[in-house]
Amino acid sequence: MALAPLSLVVVEAEFLVVTGRSGSGKSTLLNLLSTLDKPSHGEVMLNGVSLTLMNEKQIAHLRNSCFGFIFQMPHLLPEKTVLENVVLPFHYGKLPVEVDVEKRCSELLDYVGLGEFGLRYPDTLSGGEMQRVVFARALARRPEVIFADEPTGSLDAGNSKKIMRLLQEQVERGCTVIMASHDVDAVHYGTRIVHLDKVESSLRQEPV
Ligand SMILES: Nc1ncnc2c1ncn2[C@@H]1O[C@H](COP(=O)(O)OP(=O)(O)O)[C@@H](O)[C@H]1O
Ligand SMILES: [Mg+2]
């Protein structure tokens, strides 16, 4: 079993941190909640609707329009510029009518402190800068939920702090953030911490 049995309710605009040692199932839990994986038992409900009742098309739409993703390693397309990478989520699904895509994505690059980087290519950026591009891309379609799996796992302290502050700011704006992390500094940003403990097959919840 990749994950011990658990029951978890995530509420709007909370910053939920899933912690626990390596192999305890943090990534598995995030993948289940974010539709990247399907549970072999149990179900995941979003706004009262079970994900198992949705077809592939509906799931793809949900993922693209309501969720933003940040992983440990920043995945950017190397042959596209920084700005083109941020625009990518608009290439799938219906385009919101009133959105000036380029303008919105440039503003997002400004927001993450990379306003001057739009025309550069990913391989000219540091790891911390790449992760901020990923952050801008995750925000492109104004997600309701951001899933962040060890987002600071490959960053130095300064860049980690920048990413954590950006996540925190999104929560303050009403976005829900679900983050897996065993970085003690990062964990403190959570408004609630869930600790996965595989050995005892149990879930401990520690309010902060
Ligand atoms: N698709 C899978 N099928 C079965 N077991 C898996 C799968 N993915 C991961 N695991 C196992 O499940 C456990 C939890 O993994 P993971 O969610 O990656 O933990 P964490 O993110 O906390 O390090 C590990 O023992 C891992 O080897
Ligand atoms: Mg993991």
Side-chain angles (χ1 to χ4, degrees):
M1 199 185 327
L3 185 65
L6 66 87
S7 168
L8 176 69
V9 176
V10 184
V11 298
E12 209 178 322
E14 79 170 330
F15 192 154
L16 181 77
V17 176
V18 181
T19 185
R21 66 175 174 79
S22 184
S24 58
K26 303 183 293 297
S27 296
T28 304
L29 177 58
L30 257 67
N31 290 348
L32 291 171
L33 297 178
S34 63
T35 75
L36 297 181
D37 219 342
K38 283 190 180 139
S40 44
H41 300 282
E43 61 180 346
V44 179
M45 315 263 293
L46 181 73
N47 295 331
V49 179
S50 172
L51 296 185
T52 47
L53 296 176
M54 292 188 187
N55 62 33
E56 284 303 316
K57 205 176 157 193
Q58 288 167 318
I59 296 239
H61 175 73
L62 176 71
R63 216 182 275 165
N64 193 40
S65 61
C66 300
F67 295 165
F69 292 91
I70 305 168
F71 298 99
Q72 177 170 351
M73 298 309 291
H75 292 292
L76 296 170
L77 295 185
E79 73 283 3
K80 297 215 179 271
T81 64
V82 163
L83 182 62
E84 285 166 350
N85 268 282
V86 179
V87 169
L88 275 180
F90 289 108
H91 289 189
Y92 313 100
K94 241 167 68 187
L95 238 127
V97 210
E98 74 291 6
V99 177
D100 180 338
V101 170
E102 290 244 330
K103 183 164 173 282
R104 165 144 184 82
C105 294
S106 297
E107 285 168 0
L108 284 171
L109 280 175
D110 274 337
Y111 171 64
V112 298
L114 298 173
E116 310 292 309
F117 286 59
L119 296 178
R120 283 172 59 169
Y121 284 86
D123 65 358
T124 68
L125 271 56
S126 71
E129 288 162 351
M130 285 190 211
Q131 194 65 311
R132 279 186 279 149
V133 176
V134 169
F135 198 97
R137 185 179 61 193
L139 296 183
R141 299 196 73 139
R142 300 186 193 280
E144 289 171 34
V145 187
I146 296 174
F147 293 94
D149 193 351
E150 308 277 1
T152 61
S154 60
L155 302 181
D156 59 42
N159 276 301
S160 296
K161 206 166 175 180
K162 280 182 191 159
I163 289 292
M164 293 315 301
R165 286 212 170 127
L166 287 168
L167 281 171
Q168 195 173 38
E169 203 167 286
Q170 290 309 307
V171 174
E172 283 159 11
R173 291 178 183 198
C175 189
T176 305
V177 172
I178 303 177
M179 176 179 82
S181 181
H182 58 254
D183 170 353
V184 282
D185 293 324
V187 166
H188 286 118
Y189 285 83
T191 55
R192 184 158 64 110
I193 299 172
V194 163
H195 184 90
L196 297 184
D197 191 345
K198 184 134 198 207
V199 183
E200 294 165 31
S201 293
S202 65
L203 172 85
R204 280 205 323 265
Q205 269 186 239
E206 297 162 3
V208 253

